[in-house]
Amino acid sequence: MILFKSKEKFKIFNTNNLWVNLNAIKRLVEADVLKMEIIPNPKEVNGIKVLQLETVVGATIRFFDHAIGINIPRSRFLIRLVHEFPF
């Protein structure tokens, strides 16, 4: 069994979907309060060591009043094994 399919190990599965009100983002940007945390991610690309700087967009939920998360049951998602993809 592939670990990412484990319901015991992962109680919540992030599908990386964000739905936001663009006016709310505009207000936060204009007020200069939308502070994104930077995560350093060292990598090697074509033999060259690089440092990729990432932000966690989902972590910005704390800046939005009345933000909610929605838990969709895992049964709603089709999960495939790598060998099942048509590439």
Side-chain angles (χ1 to χ4, degrees):
M1 176 194 250
I2 296 177
L3 284 180
F4 76 82
K5 292 173 60 176
S6 171
K7 291 182 183 178
E8 290 75 35
K9 184 170 180 70
F10 300 106
K11 302 294 182 200
I12 297 174
F13 189 81
N14 182 359
T15 60
N16 292 324
N17 286 298
L18 297 174
W19 292 39
V20 296
N21 181 310
L22 295 179
N23 290 324
I25 292 176
K26 182 179 180 192
R27 281 193 302 274
L28 293 172
V29 169
E30 288 174 347
D32 196 29
V33 295
L34 191 59
K35 304 296 182 192
M36 304 287 286
E37 296 156 6
I38 297 175
I39 301 168
N41 184 9
K43 294 182 171 195
E44 191 168 314
V45 178
N46 297 329
I48 300 170
K49 290 183 178 182
V50 298
L51 183 61
Q52 177 179 336
L53 301 177
E54 300 178 352
T55 58
V56 182
V57 175
T60 63
I61 195 170
R62 69 182 181 275
F63 296 107
F64 294 90
D65 294 332
H66 312 293
I68 61 169
I70 300 173
N71 185 11
I72 306 295
R74 187 180 286 260
S75 60
R76 294 275 309 269
F77 297 98
L78 173 63
I79 298 176
R80 294 184 177 181
L81 300 175
V82 172
H83 71 273
E84 294 176 319
F85 284 96
F87 44 74

